[in-house]
Amino acid sequence: MRTLDDLGDLTGKRVFVRVDFNVPLKDGVIGDDARIRAALPTLEELRRRGARLLLAAHLGRPKGRDLDFSLAPIAARLTELLKTDVTLAADLDQVPNDDAVVMLENVRFEPGETKDDEELAKKYASLADAYVNDAFGAAHRAHASTHAIAKLLPSAAGLLLQREVETLTGILADPERPLVAIVGGAKVTDKIGVLEAFLSKADTILIGGAMQFPFFKAQGHQVGASLCEAEGIAPAERVLAEAQDGQVRLPVDIVAGEAFDASTPVTEIDGVDVPEGLMGLDVGPKTAAAYAEVIASAGTIFWNGPMGAFELEPFAAGTRSVAEAVAKASGTTVVGGGDSAAALRQFGLEDQVTHLSTGGGASLELIEGKTLPGVEVLG
């Protein structure tokens, strides 16, 4: 994978930088600017090398040009972080030539962006002398600004993209042992590729979240009204059948409620059978303590997916316990973006892990061994 050093002298050159600024935005207010801050090292390094920046990013999934998805608030926040004016170009025909930092309006306003359109990529390329992809969170998509343009200009990975790829591939290629994978979330089918990858790599796989219930269903347990993905039962059976003895650990107790609501009465179940009328919403204290013990002794830890409905305070304890254990662990700790990253931030622990990925889907696909188009094209 080509890096910034492969681009040579950038003095006075315009560099088209694909960044991942797909941040939570409500009524023009940014809810979390972590992805913007994660891009700063690359942007500052390019500026140090004398480059003028043309930034490209997407926000949400707009249907055509919809100013509810405008990048104006992101440009304003980046102006504060970079301490220099960031000019927002309304469209590709209104890009200033001399401004030090220009941001294109949401690239998904362009109809050919998600189709990896070559003509659109040519328009992008005509505006710059070189291309840098630092948008790891979008690297698993073959879009015009992540893939097609890289074939038209001298191209390289930014510092963030480089670190993401090297870290995530490294924990599978040469991890310190024991390697512990913590896999949670809602659906087994979303994580089956990750589970299968870790069956051949990890010493222990800890399961949590709603995806535990297809495993329990496969074992003949009652799941009550819990979220239990029917399509996940067969893959769960396969994982259990292929696992080494003791390799896959499931919860031993559950915290349940009558509804997905913070005000619902809380019921602690010593066991994993959930009565009718109740839904499992968190792992129980025995599970949390057992998982924390495994995490503490790990040499390498990968975590993706919460242990329960951590956004509801009565059902946040399991995820909090895992997050604290990961933060305290002495081994290498890699958190694979998405809800796990949100949980770390909620508990104030985001700075206490070795690597916090900015890409949920991209990190999972890389762990699964899939080729990321936005990375492959930089090879």
Side-chain angles (χ1 to χ4, degrees):
M1 186 172 58
R2 293 183 297 276
T3 65
L4 295 184
D5 290 338
D6 293 307
L7 293 179
D9 184 15
L10 295 175
T11 304
K13 292 184 177 180
R14 174 75 82 184
V15 180
F16 187 111
V17 189
R18 180 56 160 98
V19 285
D20 181 10
F21 290 166
N22 189 28
V23 298
L25 191 69
K26 184 176 182 181
D27 298 326
V29 178
I30 297 170
D32 183 353
D33 68 356
R35 284 182 168 178
I36 302 174
R37 289 184 284 107
L40 293 179
T42 293
L43 303 185
E44 290 168 345
E45 176 61 18
L46 288 169
R47 294 187 69 213
R48 187 189 70 79
R49 296 186 184 201
R52 292 175 297 126
L53 306 183
L54 179 59
L55 310 182
H58 76 278
L59 178 66
R61 297 179 178 179
K63 305 295 184 184
R65 187 169 290 270
D66 182 348
L67 292 183
D68 286 341
F69 295 90
S70 172
L71 293 181
I74 287 87
R77 178 58 178 146
L78 189 60
T79 293
E80 296 173 350
L81 292 170
L82 282 179
K83 298 181 174 58
T84 192
D85 288 338
V86 177
T87 304
L88 184 66
D91 58 52
L92 298 178
D93 297 323
Q94 300 183 40
V95 177
N97 288 324
D98 299 324
D99 292 16
V101 185
V102 177
M103 183 184 295
L104 296 177
E105 187 53 283
N106 192 335
V107 293
R108 290 194 179 172
F109 288 178
E110 302 291 341
E113 167 62 19
T114 60
K115 299 174 183 176
D116 203 21
D117 184 74
E118 291 186 7
E119 292 305 312
L120 177 58
K122 288 177 182 177
K123 289 183 181 179
Y124 290 154
S126 70
L127 301 170
D129 304 298
Y131 171 78
V132 169
N133 191 349
D134 211 32
F136 179 68
H140 58 319
R141 306 297 187 202
H143 291 174
S145 67
T146 62
H147 184 254
I149 184 178
K151 302 175 182 179
L152 304 175
L153 292 172
S155 58
L159 300 176
L160 175 63
L161 182 65
Q162 180 184 351
R163 184 182 182 213
E164 292 269 17
V165 172
E166 291 176 350
T167 300
L168 290 165
T169 55
I171 63 170
L172 291 180
D174 187 26
E176 291 291 326
R177 298 286 178 178
L179 170 58
V180 174
I182 311 158
V183 186
K187 296 181 178 180
V188 174
T189 52
D190 286 348
K191 306 288 176 72
I192 187 61
V194 172
L195 291 170
E196 290 175 340
F198 280 119
L199 281 176
S200 62
K201 301 286 186 179
D203 298 283
T204 306
I205 301 171
L206 307 176
I207 303 291
M211 64 180 290
Q212 67 187 290
F213 295 108
F215 283 89
F216 291 144
K217 192 80 170 179
Q219 293 177 328
H221 293 289
Q222 299 175 29
V223 299
S226 305
L227 179 62
C228 182
E229 180 195 22
E231 295 84 358
I233 296 172
E237 288 179 333
R238 189 167 69 248
V239 168
L240 292 172
E242 294 176 2
Q244 302 295 317
D245 186 35
Q247 184 183 22
V248 173
R249 297 275 297 271
L250 292 167
V252 295
D253 57 348
I254 293 171
V255 179
E258 295 176 1
F260 190 88
D261 190 307
S263 63
T264 190
V266 175
T267 300
E268 292 191 3
I269 300 171
D270 188 8
V272 297
D273 287 294
V274 181
E276 289 299 322
L278 292 179
M279 59 174 60
L281 294 171
D282 194 13
V283 298
K286 290 182 180 179
T287 301
Y291 282 11
E293 186 176 340
V294 173
I295 293 165
S297 63
T300 306
I301 300 154
F302 175 81
W303 177 29
N304 182 276
M307 297 294 99
F310 71 95
E311 61 272 37
L312 306 177
E313 181 54 34
F315 307 103
T319 302
R320 182 185 289 111
S321 177
V322 165
E324 290 174 347
V326 170
K328 293 176 184 175
S330 58
T332 299
T333 51
V334 178
V335 180
D339 287 337
S340 304
L344 280 177
R345 295 188 185 103
Q346 178 174 311
F347 305 134
L349 301 170
E350 67 268 35
D351 296 327
Q352 298 182 42
V353 296
T354 307
H355 180 72
L356 179 57
S357 180
T358 58
S363 65
L364 294 184
E365 291 195 16
L366 199 60
I367 290 291
E368 291 171 20
K370 293 182 178 178
T371 298
L372 307 188
V375 173
E376 182 184 35
V377 75
L378 303 176

